[in-house]
Structures are given as C-alpha cells and as structure tokens.
Amino acid sequence: MKRALRVGAGEGVVITANRLLDGAIVWLAADDIWLTRMQRANVFEPEAAVERVSALQSRAQSDGVVGIYEIAVRPEETGPMPVTMRERIRAFGPTVHPQFAYTAQEGVGA
C-alpha cells in the first residue's frame, strides 16, 4: 500500500529510489539520471511527480533502481531539503559521528 504524500504550500516533490547494485540512495535529476546527491534532484509539482513515478517504475529494472517513490521537499539555497526527518537522514547520512557517516559519491550508475 502506498503511503499518502503530504505537500505543503511552497513545497515541491523529488523522486527517490535505491540503486539495485549497492543499495545506495539515489534521486532523479532533471536529465533523467539517478544521482547520489540530492542537491541536483529535479523538483516536480506533486501531480507531475505521481505520473513520473508510474513511468519510472515500468523501467526500474533497466535503470537499475528499486523502491521508487516521491518525497516532499522545501526549496532552499543549497537545493531541495526533505520535509521529514526520515528523508533528511536518507539524504544526508545517518545520525552518527561523522567518522562513520556515509559519503555519497557520483560515479558509475550515479
């Protein structure tokens, strides 16, 4: 069952997934490429994102991603900022000492 997405006034939507090969969290960029950095994610209007997710799910295997869904974001100077704490942790790493934090890397399949 798909959870309801709540988008407030002035907020947008980005599309996220997990890369199939290594489980890395990825976001859909404007050029239809999955990236590991959220700052370059394409921000959609909520209605457009729902349609886009449906289209992306049909080609998920060939794109090498799983678990595609949309999340609400607020626009900020540094790029889109997830509204929920869960998605902030997914985007910027675990809430642990920086020595143990995940470092997102662009690269093959990113």
Side-chain angles (χ1 to χ4, degrees):
M1 179 176 150
K2 185 176 177 181
R3 62 188 163 76
L5 178 66
R6 296 181 188 169
V7 181
E11 296 176 348
V13 175
V14 298
I15 298 173
T16 185
N18 287 87
R19 196 164 47 204
L20 197 53
L21 289 178
D22 59 6
I25 300 160
V26 290
W27 288 269
L28 188 67
D31 47 3
D32 255 8
I33 296 174
W34 293 100
L35 300 174
T36 55
R37 295 188 189 271
M38 181 180 210
Q39 291 82 6
R40 293 179 47 203
N42 191 25
V43 180
F44 294 89
E45 293 295 322
E47 299 81 21
V50 171
E51 295 174 14
R52 192 78 178 114
V53 166
S54 295
L56 290 165
Q57 287 174 336
S58 66
R59 65 173 219 223
Q61 188 172 7
S62 63
D63 284 352
V65 294
V66 295
I68 300 169
Y69 64 97
E70 65 275 25
I71 64 168
V73 294
R74 282 190 313 267
E76 295 198 356
E77 288 182 25
T78 57
M81 174 64 70
V83 172
T84 66
M85 180 59 72
R86 176 187 188 274
E87 295 302 334
R88 279 188 225 139
I89 292 170
R90 283 186 79 236
F92 306 115
T95 55
V96 297
H97 188 277
Q99 176 182 357
F100 305 107
Y102 170 77
T103 303
Q105 298 177 358
E106 299 296 333
V108 177

